[in-house]
């Protein structure tokens, strides 16, 4: 079995920043009380030093309508290159701040908001993490795969993982 290593405060925020830097794709989940919950792929715009994650979202989207009723949100993040995983739970707020939109704007966002940072359908979402859980490989994907293959051959578990709760 892998190592258990809970992370809190600055260590938890560093893990969030490492896994969710600007432009990271993830599943943004809301309507958590219902099954199936609502999940859509989203890309981060920025991760602040306090762990807050910023997103742009279409004002007329189903996601935004759900968040107006219930701000509880879960983010599911996969880093395929390293086989690291992160699940974050928190609340999402709508922020009406044109200056912040301008700060976060990039030309790629124009794909979804063709009128630019003043597009009337653009809304700014602020995800405030409260807790989460992570799963990492200690030595990277290749070593983890080699240990998995060795486990199959030898019949002995050679887990190369570390995991733990995150408290922000």
């Amino acid at each position: 079995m892998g190592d258990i290593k809970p992370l809190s405060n600055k260590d938890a925020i560093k893990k969030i920043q490492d896994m969710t830097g600007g432009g990271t794709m993830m599943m943004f989940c809301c309507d958590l009380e219902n099954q199936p919950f609502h999940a859509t792929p989203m890309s981060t715009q920025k991760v602040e030093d306090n762990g807050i994650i910023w997103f742009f979202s279409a004002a007329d989207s189903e996601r935004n309508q759900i968040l107006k009723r219930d701000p509880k949100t879960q983010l599911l993040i996969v880093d395929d290159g390293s086989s690291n995983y992160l699940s974050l739970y928190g609340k999402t707020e709508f922020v009406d701040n044109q200056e912040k939109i301008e700060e976060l704007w990039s030309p790629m966002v124009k794909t979804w908001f063709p009128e630019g940072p003043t597009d009337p359908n653009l809304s700014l979402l602020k995800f405030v993490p409260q807790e989460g859980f992570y799963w990492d490989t200690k030595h990277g994907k290749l070593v983890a795969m080699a240990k998995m293959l060795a486990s199959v051959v030898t019949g002995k578990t050679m887990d190369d993982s570390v995991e733990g709760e995150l408290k922000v």
Side-chain angles (χ1 to χ4, degrees):
M1 181 154 167
D3 292 336
I4 305 294
K5 184 180 176 190
L7 300 176
S8 59
N9 303 319
K10 288 183 180 181
D11 292 331
I13 290 170
K14 172 117 175 62
K15 173 58 69 183
I16 291 169
Q17 288 175 319
D18 289 348
M19 290 284 298
T20 62
T24 300
M25 290 299 295
M26 63 189 66
M27 292 306 290
F28 186 102
C29 307
C30 55
D31 202 16
L32 303 178
E33 304 297 323
N34 291 310
Q35 293 180 356
F37 54 81
H38 186 268
T40 53
M42 294 279 284
S43 177
T44 60
Q45 298 308 310
K46 182 177 184 179
V47 182
E48 302 280 354
D49 289 339
N50 57 4
I52 287 172
I53 304 171
W54 294 94
F55 297 93
F56 288 135
S57 179
D60 63 358
S61 67
E62 183 178 2
R63 170 185 45 256
N64 278 30
Q65 303 318 306
I66 292 167
L67 290 169
K68 287 175 185 173
R69 292 190 315 266
D70 183 1
K72 292 187 292 275
T73 310
Q74 187 160 11
L75 305 180
L76 304 173
I77 303 108
V78 176
D79 180 350
D80 283 334
S82 63
S83 291
N84 293 336
Y85 307 89
L86 178 63
S87 171
L88 289 174
Y89 175 80
K91 293 192 176 177
T92 298
E93 305 168 11
F94 292 91
V95 176
D96 185 16
N97 183 329
Q98 190 61 37
E99 188 174 302
K100 189 69 173 176
I101 289 172
E102 298 281 346
E103 172 194 330
L104 299 174
W105 184 261
S106 73
M108 288 300 293
V109 180
K110 200 167 186 174
T111 302
W112 295 277
F113 303 102
E115 293 182 38
T118 59
D119 192 308
N121 197 36
L122 180 126
S123 65
L124 182 59
L125 302 180
K126 174 182 170 183
F127 173 78
V128 180
Q130 296 171 335
E131 61 184 316
F133 203 88
Y134 75 97
W135 301 263
D136 289 350
T137 56
K138 290 181 195 172
H139 304 102
K141 189 174 187 175
L142 290 176
V143 171
M145 292 300 288
K147 286 188 173 193
M148 287 171 58
L149 290 173
S151 292
V152 170
V153 172
T154 65
K156 295 181 182 176
T157 299
M158 296 183 184
D159 193 357
D160 188 45
S161 65
V162 61
E163 61 185 74
E165 290 183 23
L166 293 176
K167 295 289 182 189
V168 182

